Amino acid sequence: MSIYILGIESSCDDTSAAIIKDNVVLSNVIANQSVHEQYGGVVPELASRAHQQNIIPVIDAAIRQANIQKNDIHAVAFTKGPGLLGSLLVGVSFAKAFALALNIPLVEVDHLEAHILAHFLQNQEHSITHPKFPFLCLTVSGGHTQIVKVEAYNKTTIIGQTIDDAAGEAFDKIAKIMQLPYPGGPVLDKMAQVGNADKFKFPKPNIKDFDYSFSGLKTSVLYFLRDQLKENPNFIEEHKVDLAASVQKTIVDILMQKLIKASKATGIKEIAIAGGVSANSGLRNAVLAQKEQLGWNVFLPHISFSTDNAAMIAIAGYFKYQDQIFSNQHATPYSRSKTNKKYF
Ligand code: KG4
Ligand code: ZN
């Protein structure tokens, strides 16, 4: 018998709902919140209010696009955290009410684990190949940067993570210094594709084990540009594509160095990337290059499943549903990442 799962994602500034039938995506509706653009970043209170307005229309659209009835749904999967508490509360409350009304199970999902499990989603049009266990996943988003060892659908261990800013945050903050619109990651990526990545050199951090740091890079770009602008007020405008390419190369090099180190230390060559920054062309090319160099089996998520979406919440919920791991009406959201980090 096929299982239908409704997934709900509301951890940051996207309200999303999806219906999957087993691992096949029937609908994946995302309402973005343009209200934050004028502030150059997400304003939590405005995000919560926009989720309140979006949640019912988005869920309604997901059910209609999937061409099913409410009563066909077997379980509701929702993002429990990490994320903005006010935003999460909207999704959590809706999920609880919906599950109660239909008398179906609730499944709680960790947003970062869902980014990883998005690799097991299948589009209706074409099938995908997915990583085999155990694999390493570099999860890179606006709020997190982690190297995760994945041994089973519901067994993940964080083996490295950022000690300060996330990779996406570095992209966004540096883009902001360059006066580019928010979120800066995709804009910088586009500009980088026509720039010279060797034009400017920025220092790379020296952090222990498999951990990352990105706050130093942001500061060095800030000071470098401040000095250059004193000499030439048009410096950013005149060099923007080379700056974008050089910054992107530095971030990608930092990410790759630890991912390669982790692969060598664990002997795992099954490598996936996930999260918003996994849409980055430089990172995708750098990971693909290791197919030849190190014999990696590389898995890149479909672009529509890299940034925040509810289909990934639904598939993570599907695997928990199969293992009978259920939540309940007492579930409360959490804002910070779970800390199950281990070195080996
Ligand atoms: O996973 P995500 O959608 O939301 C979080 O869970 O944070 O990731 C959003 C982040 C933002 O920082 C955005 O700038 C970055 O992903 N991003 C990119 C690209 N597309 C999205 N960064 C670099 N290059 C891209 N193409
Ligand atoms: Zn995310």
Side-chain angles (χ1 to χ4, degrees):
M1 188 186 75
S2 287
I3 302 295
Y4 291 89
I5 306 275
L6 165 66
I8 300 175
E9 156 63 27
S10 71
S11 66
C12 191
D13 60 341
D14 296 310
T15 320
S16 181
I19 299 284
I20 60 169
K21 179 183 176 187
D22 298 323
N23 65 340
V24 179
V25 182
L26 300 185
S27 63
N28 188 25
V29 179
I30 304 171
N32 306 113
Q33 302 179 358
S34 54
V35 61
H36 307 288
E37 277 162 23
Q38 58 187 302
Y39 301 101
V42 177
V43 183
E45 176 60 20
L46 295 181
S48 314
R49 291 186 207 176
H51 283 303
Q52 291 252 45
Q53 285 174 343
N54 293 341
I55 191 113
I56 291 177
V58 163
I59 286 174
D60 187 49
I63 295 172
R64 274 189 289 112
Q65 282 181 26
N67 216 1
I68 61 161
Q69 305 297 319
K70 280 198 295 274
N71 290 329
D72 296 326
I73 299 169
H74 292 88
V76 188
F78 64 94
T79 309
K80 194 178 180 197
L84 301 170
L85 267 188
S87 291
L88 288 162
L89 266 171
V90 177
V92 173
S93 309
F94 187 93
K96 285 182 186 175
F98 195 86
L100 200 61
L102 290 180
N103 195 23
I104 54 177
L106 266 174
V107 186
E108 61 189 50
V109 169
D110 180 85
H111 180 86
L112 295 163
E113 288 176 6
H115 268 303
I116 300 172
L117 295 172
H119 279 279
F120 296 90
L121 283 168
Q122 199 167 306
N123 269 333
Q124 273 172 295
E125 307 89 63
H126 50 82
S127 63
I128 45 138
T129 54
H130 51 73
K132 289 191 221 52
F133 301 118
F135 66 91
L136 292 182
C137 187
L138 174 69
T139 310
V140 263
S141 70
H144 299 87
T145 299
Q146 300 179 334
I147 299 176
V148 183
K149 186 167 145 192
V150 188
E151 291 169 275
Y153 297 122
N154 296 317
K155 188 169 183 218
T156 59
T157 312
I158 301 164
I159 60 172
Q161 62 190 350
T162 183
I163 59 165
D164 43 52
D165 290 352
E169 211 174 343
F171 270 110
D172 295 342
K173 284 182 177 169
I174 292 170
K176 193 170 180 180
I177 297 170
M178 290 171 63
Q179 285 156 10
L180 299 171
Y182 178 86
V187 185
L188 225 110
D189 185 4
K190 208 161 172 204
M191 286 173 21
Q193 290 173 30
V194 289
N196 174 4
D198 297 315
K199 176 88 180 183
F200 304 107
K201 292 265 175 280
F202 298 108
K204 294 183 191 133
N206 189 4
I207 307 291
K208 67 175 174 45
D209 301 321
F210 307 101
D211 287 342
Y212 288 111
S213 166
F214 288 99
S215 67
L217 174 63
K218 173 195 64 195
T219 311
S220 73
V221 173
L222 180 70
Y223 289 160
F224 172 74
L225 290 179
R226 188 192 59 185
D227 293 346
Q228 298 300 321
L229 287 169
K230 277 186 201 148
E231 309 282 315
N232 172 9
N234 294 325
F235 183 84
I236 296 180
E237 190 51 37
E238 287 169 14
H239 296 93
K240 63 182 180 198
V241 291
D242 294 340
L243 279 167
S246 303
V247 165
Q248 177 162 304
K249 181 170 187 293
T250 311
I251 295 175
V252 170
D253 284 352
I254 296 170
L255 289 171
M256 289 305 294
Q257 193 203 353
K258 292 295 174 85
L259 185 58
I260 290 171
K261 187 176 173 184
S263 166
K264 289 185 172 163
T266 55
I268 298 173
K269 293 189 176 189
E270 200 80 356
I271 308 289
I273 56 173
V277 182
S278 69
N280 184 265
S281 62
L283 179 61
R284 287 183 164 241
N285 291 335
V287 178
L288 282 172
Q290 298 307 323
K291 271 175 144 182
E292 290 279 308
Q293 302 262 347
L294 295 172
W296 282 3
N297 250 339
V298 169
F299 299 88
L300 308 175
H302 192 278
I303 296 281
S304 58
F305 301 142
S306 345
T307 42
D308 288 350
N309 67 87
M312 69 183 197
I313 305 303
I315 189 86
Y318 172 71
F319 294 129
K320 281 193 164 176
Y321 180 91
Q322 285 189 319
D323 285 354
Q324 303 273 299
I325 305 172
F326 296 124
S327 183
N328 58 53
Q329 291 290 332
H330 301 290
T332 49
Y334 53 90
S335 59
R336 299 181 73 85
S337 175
K338 288 194 255 173
T339 48
N340 63 339
K341 190 171 94 167
K342 276 195 204 119
Y343 295 121
F344 46 89

